[in-house]
Amino acid sequence: MTAFNELREMRRQRGGPKNVAKTNLRKADGRAALVFLAPWFLGLFAITLFPLGASAYFSLTDYDLLTPPTFIGFENFVELFHDTRLHQALKVTLTYVVTGVPLQLIVALLLAMLLNQGMRGMAFYRSVFYLPSLMGGSVAIAILWRQVFGVDGIFNRFLAIFGIEGIGWVSNPDTALWTIVLLHVWTFGSPMIIFLAGLRQIPEMYYEAASLDGASKVRQFFSVTLPLLSPIIFFNLVMQVITAFQAFTQAYVVSGGTGGPSDSTLFYTLYLYQEGFSNLHMGYASAMAWLLVVIILGLTAVNFWLSKFWVFYGD
């Protein structure tokens, strides 16, 4: 008998009933895992991968939802560069992101620091301040916002107390976008909770050491709080930028689905909706969707690259 046959015989003899039972148990565990993971895989393919593939295909076609798509190559993407309304939508959306996100994070951080002082009723205030994040993207709040800043809205009535004559803030091209920016700032609850959790993780000894060195509260904020909180700020920044680019409901309701007045609230997602479902240019809308993906990926990559200059981790 060769050495190889001897080794195989020894291995066969070691494989007794116990090892067979373990093997069967592993197989049973593997089958059970597949059963429990099946809904997730189904969702991955049916809700994520299949729509992505379909959108990529439609972006290369002329498709109106009523007739079979016609392959036209990259014509939709070429048209993107010549679409003046698309340029306006990009301008409006970038203005909304650049102004709304920093203001929201500043308000969220200030309120988180206030709640971190250990006041009474902390759980109540935390819940109340979080509510805008839950309701801010709803149709009801957008309708309410439109009424508040209307000609006869509460805001103009408040201004009338001081003898100031108000205007139709949502119907004026110069102010309509800023009412939506204010609505975005009002939904500060989610980043505020994350900031509050980060502030709770900063050791008190750093502030005690800074106080012994004569640092004021302002100096402690810029030299202790901000550097140690920078990973949390970076996380909130990335997440809120992505969320802001996807804003739709507020602009749709406030403008009545038109993006007006004078396209001043024509968000990118709103224009995409108009092209895809109002004008039935689904192929062009799919190309717009992929352009939005590229823009968000690019800005996220830039944020990650810039983070090495201002984000400080434990190491």
Side-chain angles (χ1 to χ4, degrees):
M1 181 180 293
T2 63
F4 176 77
N5 291 334
E6 291 180 0
L7 289 173
R8 186 170 59 181
E9 182 65 21
M10 293 174 60
R11 189 176 301 172
R12 186 185 64 80
Q13 292 177 358
R14 285 199 301 265
K18 291 184 178 180
N19 290 334
V20 172
K22 289 181 179 179
T23 302
N24 293 335
L25 182 60
R26 292 194 189 99
K27 290 181 180 179
D29 289 342
R31 288 192 294 268
L34 288 176
V35 171
F36 283 107
L37 289 174
W40 183 86
F41 280 114
L42 180 62
L44 175 65
F45 285 101
I47 301 177
T48 304
L49 296 182
F50 177 74
L52 280 174
S55 176
Y57 170 70
F58 290 144
S59 68
L60 304 175
T61 65
D62 181 12
Y63 184 40
D64 61 3
L65 292 176
L66 302 176
T67 58
T70 304
F71 185 80
I72 58 174
F74 291 96
E75 291 184 17
N76 287 326
F77 292 95
V78 174
E79 187 178 348
L80 293 175
F81 294 96
H82 304 287
D83 189 346
T84 55
R85 289 202 77 202
L86 176 66
H87 301 161
Q88 172 66 11
L90 282 171
K91 177 182 175 182
V92 170
T93 305
L94 286 173
T95 303
Y96 173 76
V97 173
V98 170
T99 57
V101 172
L103 288 174
Q104 183 196 55
L105 294 183
I106 290 172
V107 172
L109 179 57
L110 292 177
L111 287 173
M113 294 183 64
L114 179 63
L115 293 178
N116 195 43
Q117 300 303 314
M119 62 175 63
R120 288 184 177 181
M122 173 71 68
F124 171 76
Y125 288 114
R126 191 165 53 207
S127 301
V128 169
F129 287 147
Y130 186 70
L131 282 178
S133 287
L134 297 177
M135 302 185 301
S138 65
V139 174
I141 293 298
I143 293 175
L144 177 63
W145 211 257
R146 185 176 181 176
Q147 296 298 322
V148 167
F149 289 98
V151 177
D152 299 323
I154 297 176
F155 186 68
N156 281 343
R157 293 180 184 180
F158 173 76
L159 294 178
I161 298 175
F162 303 96
I164 302 175
E165 184 178 357
I167 61 174
W169 301 94
V170 296
S171 58
N172 189 321
D174 297 327
T175 58
L177 175 61
W178 302 110
T179 62
I180 303 178
V181 170
L182 184 61
L183 175 57
H184 179 74
V185 174
W186 181 67
T187 60
F188 55 80
S190 179
M192 183 205 68
I193 294 297
I194 298 174
F195 278 139
L196 183 59
L199 288 170
R200 295 290 181 87
Q201 299 302 315
I202 299 178
E204 189 65 28
M205 63 179 180
Y206 292 121
Y207 295 106
E208 295 174 354
S211 298
L212 292 176
D213 289 338
S216 63
K217 293 295 183 181
V218 175
R219 183 64 178 176
Q220 291 178 28
F221 173 75
F222 286 101
S223 298
V224 178
T225 304
L226 282 185
L228 294 179
L229 201 62
S230 58
I232 306 297
I233 298 174
F234 174 64
F235 173 80
N236 273 333
L237 175 64
V238 171
M239 297 303 297
Q240 293 307 315
V241 165
I242 295 174
T243 301
F245 266 104
Q246 300 175 14
F248 171 78
T249 304
Q250 302 92 325
Y252 182 87
V253 174
V254 170
S255 69
T258 64
S262 301
D263 287 345
S264 60
T265 60
L266 185 64
F267 281 25
Y268 192 98
T269 52
L270 177 56
Y271 184 44
L272 189 154
Y273 171 82
Q274 291 177 353
E275 285 295 308
F277 297 97
S278 298
N279 301 330
L280 298 183
H281 297 159
M282 185 56 67
Y284 186 67
S286 298
M288 288 180 59
W290 278 100
L291 176 61
L292 180 61
V293 170
V294 171
I295 292 173
I296 293 177
L297 286 176
L299 288 177
T300 303
V302 170
N303 279 329
F304 271 91
W305 179 76
L306 291 174
S307 67
K308 63 182 181 181
F309 298 106
W310 63 275
V311 178
F312 304 95
Y313 296 98
D315 53 355

